[in-house]
Amino acid sequence: ACGGMGCISTADAGYREPDFARDPAAANHRALTAEIQKAKAIAGGMGLVAINAMVATRDYVEAIRTAVAAGVDAVVSGAGLPLELPGIVGTKEVAIAPIVSSARAAKLILRRWAKSFDRTAEGCKAGGHLGFAEEDLLADRCQTLDEILPGVLAEVKPYEEQYGHAIPVFVAGGVYTGADMAHFTKLGAAGV
């Protein structure tokens, strides 16, 4: 309701439904629809309602289709490469944002999507991340957001020029303070 964007997870949204154990897919879709409608009512047209859909889940495609039918404003997708996301969403009225952990991942998605306009870069400090090897995480050998962001921005730039549209890149994971926010926006991130 303050003009921001709230994000609802699609992971077992229906766990409180009475039939969740018997029919988790139906319970999840029903609950996801209800949560989106509730959030949109709270937002009162002032903010956006998004979902976070993980590619690695079994119900990925149907969860996104349920959310789009329920009126979600944006789909954030990671836990794998969301190469088919624009086709699953099926409308340009819903913003789409893939979560990427490297310039290489951004390049793969950009090539596949070619006409999309929203991007997200996520560092190794983000929760639930699947883009880094466990041994690298434990040894603190992962690329930092300072290292990832310039490469992602470089991959995005030709597509911005080709299509004449800005493609905002947001960073996530390890952003704790206003100074961190200012740092990444000075490096070229559209937001955090």
Side-chain angles (χ1 to χ4, degrees), residues 26 30 32 45 50 65 82 96 110 140 160:
R30 186 172 56 254
L32 182 59
R65 289 182 177 153
I96 53 178
L110 285 164
D140 199 26
E160 289 181 320

Side-chain angles (χ1 to χ4, degrees), residues 6 8 36 40 49-51 64 66-75 93-95:
I8 300 167
I36 290 168
K40 292 201 56 94
V49 176
I51 60 159
I64 292 170
T66 295
V68 170
V72 77
D73 300 301
V75 175
E93 300 302 312
V94 174

Side-chain angles (χ1 to χ4, degrees), residues 105-143:
K107 184 177 187 174
L108 289 170
I109 292 169
L110 285 164
R111 280 186 179 168
R112 183 67 168 239
W113 289 14
K115 293 185 181 180
S116 298
F117 308 113
D118 293 303
R119 307 287 178 262
T120 300
E122 183 176 71
C124 61
K125 293 181 182 178
H129 203 288
L130 299 179
F132 299 92
E134 181 179 10
E135 59 272 8
D136 290 336
L137 287 166
L138 294 173
D140 199 26
R141 291 189 303 250
C142 298
Q143 280 187 303

Side-chain angles (χ1 to χ4, degrees), residues 121-125 142-153 171-175 179-180 182-188:
E122 183 176 71
C124 61
K125 293 181 182 178
C142 298
Q143 280 187 303
T144 66
L145 282 175
D146 287 273
E147 296 165 327
I148 295 169
L149 181 58
V152 171
L153 291 170
V171 297
V175 181
D180 292 340
H183 171 74
F184 289 113
T185 55
K186 285 178 188 172
L187 287 179

